[in-house]
Amino acid sequence: MSVKAARRPPSKGGGAAPFQALFWRLPWLRAVLLLVPPLGWFVFVYLAALGLLLITAFWTIDPFTTQVVESWNLDNFRIILTDPTYWTIIGRTVLIAGLVTLTDAVLAFPFAYFMARVASRRVQTILFAAVLLPLWASYLARVYAWILILNHDGVLNWSLQKVGLPAANIGYTNVAMWLVFSYIWLPFMVIPVYTALERLPESLLEAAADLGARRWRTVRDVVLPLVLPGVVAGSIFTFSLTLGDYITPILIGGASSNFIGNVVYANIGIANNVPFAAALTMVPVAVMTVYLTVAQRLGAFEAL
Amino acid sequence: MEGPWTRLGLWAWSALILMFLFVPILLIFFYAFNSSNIESWPIPGLTLKWFTATWNDDTVRTALGLSLQVGLVATAIALALGSCAAFAIHRTSFFGREAVSLLFILPLALPGIITGIALNAFFSFSGVSLSIWTIVIGHTTFCIVVVYNNVLARLRRTQGSLVEAAMDLGANGFQTFRDITLPLISTSVVAGCMLAFALSFDEVIVTTFTAGAQSTLPIWIFGQIRHGVLLPEVNVVVSFVILVTIIPVVVAARLTGGGAARVPAAR
Amino acid sequence: MSSAEGRKSFWRLACVSASAVVAITACGSSNTPTGSTQAPPPTANMKPPTSVGAGEGQLNLVLWDGYADKSWADPFTAATGCKLNLHPAGSSDEMVSLMKDGGGGQWDMVSASGDADLRLIYGGDVKPMNTDLIPDFKNFQAYFQSPPYNTIGGVHYGISLQWGPNTLLYSTKKFPTPPTSWSVIYDKANQGLVTVPDNPIQIADAALYLSKTQPSLGITDPYELTQKQFDATVALLKQQQPLIKHYWALATDEISLFQNGDVTVGAAWPYQTIQLQQNGGPFADTIPQEGATGWADTWMMATKAPHPNCAYKWVQWVSTAQVQAEQAISFGETPVNSKACAQMDALDAGSCHQYHADETGAAYFNTIKFWKTPLSTCDNGSQNCVPYDQWVSAWTTIKG
């Protein structure tokens, strides 16, 4: 380090030379200058907004004009914690989010494995493009297409009847929501898993084989643990996106398909009860904070 | 390493997944020709009238234009801020680094509705009226995360020794950045920008809460889905967007998925 | 507006609204005649313009699905140059929410129903309009020139538009003869084949049904329910919940549900029936013997409307007999312009009588229980009626 400090940068730098020297002596200065703009954005816009939301959760509204009344109370939290309806809704949301995450992990893994380790370079590119392309087809249009597939006279029942099977009435049910969510977020799971598998050095697998491990053992003991951060990274998206979604339940949900997002949206966009909606959003915030802490321990942040 | 049966199984699985991914999209293409404005199966009839209707529809152009503007501006700002953040986090370890990297994940990790209503409350509290700029602010917030992730991931995989070697050979900081670092990270920057743009282009939840009377494309689509009379126009527009983006997406796939930065040996 | 000013207006508005609520609840229901002792609405002293200037080129509307159909919207844009930017809302609450803070400087007009009007007026979100600027105003039926839901103290906070019922929509294949009672949507035999709107005001529909089928509860006004009546109604709706395939939030939702065979009966607006019939489907609607709830709509102008001239031009346009007739037939509602009847029959013979735009209108009007905001003050002056925010939270528990 001292060798570098003694060496003067050549004069090619011109006017930037004093800055270069400054950055060499005080490396943290460069980091601070680089960090201030993005951090400033996050703190003064994003965190400020989140903080305001948290504060609003402790206020109430005038029931007639729905204007926010800044009187501090815990009513909103009390209602959420004591009314069993909200626990049902929260439980249902978390359960389906978990199921979707598991489903996507199972669906994505063999596909990503194929892409990363079996497919040729050209097929790899085509498949990767094929996974990215649905992200450009509007989320709304894709969900709407699923309504067409799943409803009573839709593609699914029509196909089943053509082969003589009974109709599967999964339109407007929680099963439909699980299916559609798994479909929509699948690319978000495939990409990190594929990246993780791609980075897996061939030499490790060869070493395992040399030591006598058979295929399945290698997958279980070598591949899976190394790919786990990628899976967890993908799961952050699938879990959080399902946790907060309200559009798919509105379009394709049945009678008992209310998600946390629906109640929040109904309270914000319809009842204009911002404080209550804010209080309710603290639940997914809490859930995701726990999830993210666990994910960070499992190394998911390096695998995003 | 994989035996022939395993390879066959993986081929079959991948084919099924591809079908799963693309059947709804094929339906979207198909129903752009729907003669009725109510979507039902089997399709009642085929017509080309929706193509001309969409072409003549001013609201579509406005919405498409607004989405492009918002996407480009948000991606540009995100490119600057996200790259700065990635460099800062990568180069230095400082107290609170874990917390800051957690902070930078939040906009994507927290559900969009939270970001949306938080920003909405923030804007109405500070008296900022909703406009294209509030939409841009909302989109930039999560676009920064995407660019940051991609650049940071690539930075982690580049060998620091290359930079030091350049320095030893006499290059100053700027030259090293321009000739060594930038080429190494360029593909991840492009990929990050493309992904950020894609997310911004299709974003509906945060936009619902940060837009005033402006309609980006997803907002327009949602309005059409509610209204119902011009539903096939939605399919026409979405089909158009897919076809237009095939080439850029393939290019992006080559840049990132091609394994250009494969690690030669276990670190 | 700086945040300090913003908070001061918050307080000012809150105080005025609070005193307005006190005044309203002290004086009774929304049908109080003008000249009462209620505190005036916040925008009462805003003088409307005396003439309509040149169009600003754009008009941002919050409205019900189907209220700006291309057939009468496109000629409007061609004639005035005002391009329409539409934001359909699924419920009155959504409209009130969008119009908060005087429309936020974003929205020009809202097609508010009776349960939104007073909240908008007393919230200061809409401002008085000059009826002299609407040539067809003199042709409106007398009641709709100054109805109590949009005219307060002689000041017009909007121009009446159209009115209509919430109907029972059914598949003629499943029900060859029209159902005579709302009981079909509460009948276990129709499990999984029913749909109702995803709107807390639906509680009033259930209350209306109970007022006829369980007279011992003593429900007279479905929007003014004592706690006991409210609980009984909520219990009925919870019993109904397993029968519901999907609570429709958008008109197209319901159209899709019926078209694709997912439901065979449900509560609807006439608009859905017309769309389904135009598509050739076997569907019809009816008003059962227990009666129906309904809505009477008003075009109101946002306090901070950015395009007031285009707004007045729009109201002028949709108040003409021709457009009133077109909209009535398109949506299945009743126009307020007395001269629309002839036009309706010219467009679709018999439609004037079908939608009660003729002399049968007055009697028909009295059978409908129009949407209004449930307040804690009942008609008889007592304070134990269930207010609307409890309807909203009850609705969440009903849907589960």
Side-chain angles (χ1 to χ4, degrees):
Chain A
M1 191 60 203
S2 55
V3 174
K4 284 184 187 131
R7 179 191 262 280
R8 282 254 162 275
S11 56
K12 280 191 224 164
F19 287 111
Q20 312 266 0
L22 193 64
F23 287 147
W24 270 117
R25 276 192 210 102
L26 306 165
W28 55 264
L29 185 63
R30 173 163 44 197
V32 165
L33 282 178
L34 281 176
L35 209 48
V36 159
L39 204 57
W41 180 287
F42 268 75
V43 168
F44 292 112
V45 178
Y46 188 61
L47 281 187
L50 285 182
L52 182 64
L53 195 66
L54 179 61
I55 294 176
T56 318
F58 293 98
W59 292 342
T60 53
I61 53 161
D62 174 302
F64 184 65
T65 59
T66 67
Q67 305 276 359
V68 176
V69 174
E70 297 171 13
S71 66
W72 298 88
N73 64 70
L74 288 172
D75 277 343
N76 295 325
F77 292 102
R78 192 178 39 83
I79 295 173
I80 295 171
L81 289 173
T82 56
D83 192 332
T85 317
Y86 296 105
W87 280 108
T88 317
I89 293 174
I90 293 170
R92 175 191 303 137
T93 315
V94 172
L95 180 66
I96 293 189
L99 278 176
V100 167
T101 304
L102 270 173
T103 312
D104 274 343
V106 167
L107 287 178
F109 188 80
F111 183 57
Y113 192 89
F114 175 77
M115 270 171 72
R117 311 218 67 92
V118 178
S120 69
R121 179 81 190 274
R122 224 176 29 159
V123 175
Q124 217 176 49
T125 314
I126 296 175
L127 286 179
F128 197 69
V131 168
L132 285 180
L133 205 54
L135 295 178
W136 286 92
S138 158
Y139 158 86
L140 292 163
R142 286 183 287 158
V143 174
Y144 213 70
W146 270 101
I147 298 180
L148 193 62
I149 297 175
L150 293 177
N151 62 32
H152 186 266
D153 295 338
V155 181
L156 182 65
N157 284 347
W158 179 85
S159 317
L160 287 173
Q161 274 162 0
K162 281 280 191 250
V163 295
L165 290 170
N169 283 314
I170 43 180
Y172 305 107
T173 59
N174 288 340
V175 173
M177 292 215 289
W178 161 72
L179 200 57
V180 172
F181 276 128
S182 304
Y183 165 81
I184 299 274
W185 311 134
L186 188 58
F188 290 105
M189 178 66 90
V190 170
I191 295 172
V193 175
Y194 164 74
T195 313
L197 279 169
E198 198 205 6
R199 285 196 254 165
L200 207 57
E202 193 73 35
S203 52
L204 273 182
L205 301 173
E206 287 169 7
D210 286 343
L211 287 168
R214 295 239 285 236
R215 252 175 281 132
W216 183 237
R217 185 89 189 273
T218 316
V219 170
R220 200 189 66 194
D221 290 338
V222 179
V223 177
L224 279 179
L226 287 174
V227 169
L228 189 64
V231 176
V232 176
S235 75
I236 294 179
F237 294 120
T238 56
F239 192 80
S240 132
L241 288 167
T242 311
L243 198 66
D245 197 82
Y246 61 88
I247 295 184
T248 301
I250 284 182
L251 290 177
I252 209 164
S256 294
S257 296
N258 248 354
F259 267 32
I260 296 176
N262 292 85
V263 183
V264 171
Y265 179 67
N267 275 290
I268 284 270
I270 298 173
N272 208 27
N273 191 348
V274 180
F276 185 75
L280 194 54
T281 59
M282 292 305 135
V283 174
V285 169
V287 171
M288 282 318 294
T289 310
V290 170
Y291 201 98
L292 285 173
T293 328
V294 172
Q296 198 175 37
R297 294 285 157 76
L298 290 172
F301 287 16
E302 281 79 42
L304 274 167
Chain B
M1 188 196 112
E2 300 81 17
W5 286 112
T6 321
R7 293 178 96 96
L8 194 63
L10 289 174
W11 263 103
W13 186 274
S14 306
L16 285 174
I17 296 282
L18 279 180
M19 262 175 49
F20 183 55
L21 281 176
F22 279 93
V23 162
I25 296 185
L26 289 174
L27 278 176
I28 293 177
F29 278 130
F30 192 37
Y31 273 78
F33 300 95
N34 192 0
S35 61
S36 156
N37 59 6
I38 300 180
E39 279 197 357
S40 63
W41 179 267
I43 197 169
L46 299 171
T47 173
L48 286 174
K49 72 176 180 202
W50 298 111
F51 287 88
T52 39
T54 315
W55 182 258
N56 294 329
D57 194 339
D58 267 343
T59 58
V60 175
R61 285 171 210 260
T62 320
L64 202 51
L66 190 66
S67 274
L68 283 172
Q69 280 175 357
V70 169
L72 286 171
V73 176
T75 306
I77 303 177
L79 169 60
L81 296 183
S83 318
C84 287
F87 276 106
I89 298 284
H90 175 68
R91 287 282 184 75
T92 347
S93 71
F94 51 89
F95 175 71
R97 188 169 138 187
E98 296 282 295
V100 173
S101 56
L102 183 68
L103 177 62
F104 281 146
I105 299 284
L106 276 185
L108 278 189
L110 284 186
I113 190 169
I114 296 180
T115 311
I117 66 180
L119 286 175
N120 184 289
F122 181 66
F123 292 139
S124 75
F125 186 79
S126 43
V128 175
S129 72
L130 301 176
S131 67
I132 182 177
W133 292 108
T134 52
I135 304 177
V136 167
I137 291 175
H139 285 212
T140 308
T141 311
F142 61 78
C143 285
I144 292 179
V145 177
V146 174
V147 175
Y148 160 81
N149 268 335
N150 270 276
V151 176
L152 187 61
R154 179 60 63 82
L155 281 174
R156 286 208 176 103
R157 281 150 63 177
T158 56
Q159 291 151 316
S161 52
L162 286 171
V163 174
E164 286 171 12
M167 296 283 195
D168 287 342
L169 287 168
N172 62 30
F174 178 68
Q175 280 173 322
T176 317
F177 178 75
R178 188 190 64 197
D179 295 331
I180 305 292
T181 321
L182 209 50
L184 279 175
I185 64 164
S186 62
T187 55
S188 72
V189 168
V190 171
C193 285
M194 288 198 65
L195 191 57
F197 187 81
L199 288 181
S200 158
F201 197 72
D202 191 31
E203 214 291 319
V204 62
I205 294 184
V206 174
T207 321
T208 309
F209 293 103
T210 52
Q214 299 82 26
S215 284
T216 57
L217 191 63
I219 304 256
W220 178 85
I221 292 179
F222 198 38
Q224 292 305 323
I225 287 182
R226 311 182 80 126
H227 194 70
V229 178
L230 300 173
L231 206 51
E233 277 195 30
V234 171
N235 292 333
V236 170
V237 173
V238 172
S239 307
F240 171 73
V241 170
I242 296 177
L243 289 174
V244 163
T245 54
I246 286 183
I247 308 270
V249 164
V250 172
V251 168
R254 292 213 65 179
L255 287 178
T256 45
R262 247 203 182 116
V263 179
R267 258 195 260 162
Chain C
M1 192 162 71
S2 77
S3 85
E5 273 179 50
R7 293 174 75 175
K8 256 207 291 194
S9 328
F10 251 161
W11 277 116
R12 235 184 274 142
L13 229 41
C15 287
V16 172
S17 318
S19 50
V21 170
V22 167
I24 291 174
T25 54
C27 292
S29 76
S30 53
N31 286 322
T32 315
T34 59
S36 70
T37 54
Q38 297 173 19
T43 54
N45 293 323
M46 287 182 74
K47 288 269 166 281
T50 49
S51 67
V52 181
E56 296 93 346
Q58 172 141 336
L59 183 60
N60 300 332
L61 299 175
V62 174
L63 76 181
W64 298 104
D65 294 308
Y67 268 34
D69 190 82
K70 274 187 167 331
S71 55
W72 64 85
D74 286 350
F76 169 75
T77 306
T80 61
C82 299
K83 284 206 334 218
L84 291 180
N85 181 3
L86 307 174
H87 189 110
S91 66
S92 293
D93 300 325
E94 206 180 331
M95 291 185 177
V96 172
S97 171
L98 282 165
M99 293 300 285
K100 72 175 191 255
D101 191 33
Q106 306 286 331
W107 305 107
D108 295 301
M109 303 205 86
V110 58
S111 63
S113 300
D115 57 336
D117 298 343
L118 288 190
R119 291 156 66 189
L120 289 169
I121 295 173
Y122 283 99
D125 297 321
V126 294
K127 60 185 179 186
M129 291 183 72
N130 188 349
T131 56
D132 292 336
L133 298 176
I134 315 293
D136 277 277
F137 188 75
K138 57 183 188 299
N139 296 328
F140 281 14
Q141 288 155 358
Y143 175 79
F144 289 105
Q145 287 182 339
S146 308
Y149 52 80
N150 67 31
T151 307
I152 314 244
V155 179
H156 299 267
Y157 290 91
I159 308 291
S160 302
L161 175 60
Q162 307 237 0
W163 53 279
N166 293 313
T167 55
L168 179 68
L169 172 59
Y170 61 94
S171 154
T172 50
K173 278 205 191 127
K174 179 81 185 284
F175 299 93
T177 53
T180 51
S181 164
W182 283 105
S183 61
V184 291
I185 64 170
Y186 303 103
D187 189 353
K188 286 212 172 36
N190 295 319
Q191 172 113 7
L193 295 169
V194 181
T195 181
V196 296
D198 184 4
N199 189 341
I201 208 81
Q202 190 64 17
I203 294 176
D205 287 66
L208 181 63
Y209 174 71
L210 282 182
S211 71
K212 299 290 187 319
T213 56
Q214 284 185 35
S216 56
L217 280 171
I219 299 175
T220 49
D221 185 333
Y223 303 96
E224 292 175 358
L225 305 171
T226 62
Q227 193 62 50
K228 180 157 158 266
Q229 295 165 342
F230 187 73
D231 292 341
T233 314
V234 170
L236 175 66
L237 286 166
K238 284 191 175 159
Q239 278 175 358
Q240 184 195 44
Q241 197 256 27
L243 309 179
I244 305 283
K245 188 65 172 282
H246 177 82
Y247 286 90
W248 63 267
L250 323 168
T252 48
D253 255 359
E254 190 173 33
I255 293 172
S256 185
L257 283 168
F258 275 92
Q259 183 74 20
N260 292 303
D262 280 293
V263 305
T264 52
V265 67
W269 305 329
Y271 178 69
Q272 282 86 300
T273 317
I274 292 176
Q275 288 286 312
L276 286 165
Q277 285 172 341
Q278 273 176 357
N279 222 47
F283 303 106
D285 65 9
T286 178
I287 296 183
Q289 67 204 19
E290 294 89 358
T293 54
W295 22 268
D297 295 339
T298 307
W299 274 117
M300 299 186 142
M301 183 177 293
T303 310
K304 297 186 185 169
H307 313 103
N309 291 327
C310 276
Y312 270 100
K313 288 180 193 286
W314 173 252
V315 178
Q316 288 170 348
W317 178 250
V318 297
S319 303
T320 59
Q322 178 65 23
V323 177
Q324 287 259 310
E326 285 176 21
Q327 182 167 345
I329 292 176
S330 165
F331 198 89
E333 50 187 359
T334 310
V336 299
N337 189 330
S338 52
K339 299 228 188 296
C341 179
Q343 307 278 17
M344 285 173 78
D345 277 333
L347 288 167
D348 181 4
S351 60
C352 176
H353 182 73
Q354 181 185 359
Y355 296 117
H356 305 274
D358 56 7
E359 68 284 348
T360 62
Y364 174 62
F365 182 82
N366 289 327
T367 65
I368 298 183
K369 301 286 185 198
F370 287 98
W371 283 348
K372 64 185 200 197
T373 312
L375 298 170
S376 43
T377 311
C378 314
D379 253 340
N380 56 16
S382 64
Q383 293 284 349
N384 58 351
C385 279
V386 178
Y388 187 66
D389 57 313
Q390 290 188 33
W391 287 46
V392 176
S393 34
W395 188 250
T396 311
T397 60
I398 289 168
K399 283 188 359 177

